[in-house]
Amino acid sequence: MGRWICCLCSRAADPLMLLLVLALGCNPSTAAAAAASPSVPHVKPSYSFGRTFLGLDKCNACIGTSICKKFFKEEIRFDTWLSSHLKLPPSSLLSYSGNYTDDAKSWRLVDITRLTSKYQHDRADKRICTSLLRTRSCSLERALRRTQRFQKWLRAKRLTPDLVQGLPSPLLRCPSQRLLDRIVRRYAEVPDAGSIYMDHLTDRDKLRLLYTLAVNSHPILLQIFPDVEGWPFPRYLGSCGRLLVSASTRPLRDFFGAAPEVAADLALQLLAVLRSMATNDLNYFFYFTHVDAGTFGVFSNGHLFIRDASTLGVIDKEEAGSQLIDGQQEYKDIFSCLTVDCQSALVPCDSIRDQHSLVMVCQDLLPKLLSGKFLSPVQESIDAFLERCARGLGDGGGGASEAMAELAGILKPLRSCDSRFAYRYPDCRYSDKY
């Protein structure tokens, strides 16, 4: 017993040794050896991010690099692949669910998306090399720099309609100077945006912007019409190589089997989005060239947004006369054919009617969301409207705004006010506006 007390007293000045003595049965020599032995460092498993997976090896035929540090610092993590080995997900997928942090403590869900499928990217890369350099593989940047279009971009001080002539993006089908100025001024992949002139864009920046516009304008729309200004798009967080990161939403297809009050709420939100796309303070008219079950998405608070903006066209109502140029669609080059058939016909700008997007939604989305959900006679009223709307609203049926008001009048009494609809709760308890 005395040896135990002696041992404890002699080591009391060393807290670490005291703990070791107690743990090891008060054998001082054993405790001393344990204290002296170096500890084995804990090796944290880490993603083996490759330039190929991110698409950095293809830059500057890419979106940008504004968020690459987040990937390499593991402040963006792939949600489904947080295993002990932190393996990367398959590169063949078009989109991934992930987690994003600014402080390593609080995490939020994000969507990590490619501009197009890996197959389409590989096919486009091969087309660039074979058509421009007559080789099966090449430096994409060197090949694209030699094109007549990019040489014009290098000399240009301002992004003008002739520089985007023939690009397949619906965003640029009816380009106005005001819209193109907005693209340059709001381009988020450069640190000092704000000017309508391209002086602040390096050659590298210009190629990235041109490539993104040619392949998929979705990230550009998120940048130039940000959610913080009230536009119905998810927040653009940045890009790395050929991956872009934005706020996470669940696709509308996940809600086709939702409860009647949820379906009615989402349908009303969808109508509100279409209304804001047609009538807004900036006098831009947005229209869809295609909609499907993944076009719209829903945030965790129940708020509906446009999840995929790649099929959105924009007509500038303030400069309508200057943008309806038939010759625009005749010019074709390699940038016109990276992801689409060069021979595909484009819808003329002046053929787009105000009910264009509503008819598409009535044909492809609202029946899946609203059919068979409600009791008679409400269901019959909804079905009759959707049938008439899908046919183009018919003669004497009024315009899109009147039609949307008619359907909204049927749906408003069907939605409820509770915590499932966090984006308008508890405000909906005190105001009919919500």
Side-chain angles (χ1 to χ4, degrees), residues 18-333:
L18 177 58
L19 291 173
L20 288 170
V21 166
L22 291 172
L24 297 172
C26 201
N27 185 328
S29 60
T30 305
S37 62
S39 59
V40 178
H42 175 67
V43 180
K44 179 184 176 183
S46 178
Y47 288 116
S48 297
F49 272 116
R51 291 171 57 82
T52 302
F53 179 84
L54 295 170
L56 282 171
D57 59 324
K58 306 296 185 180
C59 281
N60 291 300
C62 63
I63 316 173
T65 56
S66 61
I67 209 166
C68 287
K69 286 184 179 179
K70 288 280 186 185
F71 278 103
F72 288 111
K73 291 168 66 177
E74 294 181 25
E75 292 176 347
I76 297 176
R77 298 182 178 181
F78 290 93
D79 188 37
T80 315
W81 283 270
L82 286 179
S83 66
S84 59
H85 299 292
L86 294 178
K87 293 181 180 178
L88 288 172
S91 60
S92 57
L93 299 181
L94 183 59
S95 64
Y96 313 88
S97 178
N99 290 278
Y100 174 101
T101 185
D102 287 317
D103 56 14
K105 296 177 181 177
S106 57
W107 295 80
R108 52 189 163 125
L109 290 174
V110 292
D111 289 334
I112 305 167
T113 314
R114 298 186 184 279
L115 284 182
T116 187
S117 68
K118 187 176 185 303
Y119 170 78
Q120 284 276 37
H121 269 311
D122 291 345
R123 186 180 177 189
D125 294 345
K126 188 176 294 185
R127 182 177 294 169
I128 291 171
C129 296
T130 55
S131 63
L132 297 179
L133 298 180
R134 304 291 187 266
T135 59
R136 296 189 63 181
S137 62
C138 67
S139 164
L140 300 177
E141 180 173 355
R142 184 166 65 91
L144 293 175
R145 277 179 172 273
R146 296 172 57 173
T147 61
Q148 181 180 356
R149 185 192 295 270
F150 187 66
Q151 289 301 311
K152 288 178 65 177
W153 272 62
L154 290 178
R155 295 190 296 269
K157 295 294 185 182
R158 194 174 182 181
L159 186 60
T160 51
D162 62 298
L163 296 177
V164 297
Q165 212 175 76
L167 294 183
S169 168
L171 172 65
L172 302 172
R173 191 163 299 176
C174 319
S176 69
Q177 188 59 57
R178 188 169 72 112
L179 178 63
L180 297 178
D181 287 345
R182 189 176 183 87
I183 290 174
V184 174
R185 192 172 68 250
R186 297 294 188 92
Y187 183 45
E189 286 299 315
V190 294
D192 50 356
S195 171
I196 63 173
Y197 298 101
M198 296 197 290
D199 298 334
H200 62 291
L201 300 184
T202 65
D203 294 0
R204 175 192 65 188
D205 297 328
K206 289 182 177 181
L207 182 56
R208 291 176 179 179
L209 176 57
L210 172 56
Y211 179 84
T212 305
L213 289 171
V215 175
N216 187 336
S217 59
H218 170 75
I220 302 300
L221 274 156
L222 269 55
Q223 294 170 44
I224 66 176
F225 299 110
D227 67 309
V228 293
E229 295 178 5
W231 297 99
F233 301 108
R235 180 166 301 181
Y236 179 81
L237 298 172
S239 67
C240 185
R242 288 178 169 180
L243 293 177
L244 68 102
V245 183
S246 60
S248 177
T249 61
R250 289 177 60 192
L252 188 61
R253 70 170 66 90
D254 291 356
F255 297 86
F256 286 162
E261 61 273 19
V262 175
D265 182 82
L266 291 174
L268 280 167
Q269 288 192 71
L270 205 161
L271 294 177
V273 167
L274 294 183
R275 194 178 300 114
S276 69
M277 294 287 91
T279 305
N280 51 73
D281 292 341
L282 293 185
N283 276 330
Y284 288 114
F285 177 82
F286 296 77
Y287 66 94
F288 287 100
T289 57
H290 170 78
V291 294
D292 58 35
T295 301
F296 296 90
V298 182
F299 285 127
S300 58
N301 65 355
H303 207 172
L304 181 139
F305 275 63
I306 297 174
R307 188 173 193 257
D308 179 5
S310 63
T311 62
L312 264 183
V314 180
I315 295 175
D316 189 341
K317 292 191 284 188
E318 289 189 5
E319 298 182 17
S322 65
Q323 59 188 337
L324 306 179
I325 306 171
D326 293 335
Q328 178 217 341
Q329 299 176 8
E330 297 175 2
Y331 181 83
K332 301 287 184 182
D333 67 353

Side-chain angles (χ1 to χ4, degrees), residues 325-345:
I325 306 171
D326 293 335
Q328 178 217 341
Q329 299 176 8
E330 297 175 2
Y331 181 83
K332 301 287 184 182
D333 67 353
I334 187 63
F335 290 100
S336 309
C337 317
L338 292 180
T339 57
V340 298
D341 180 5
C342 290
Q343 306 305 316
S344 58

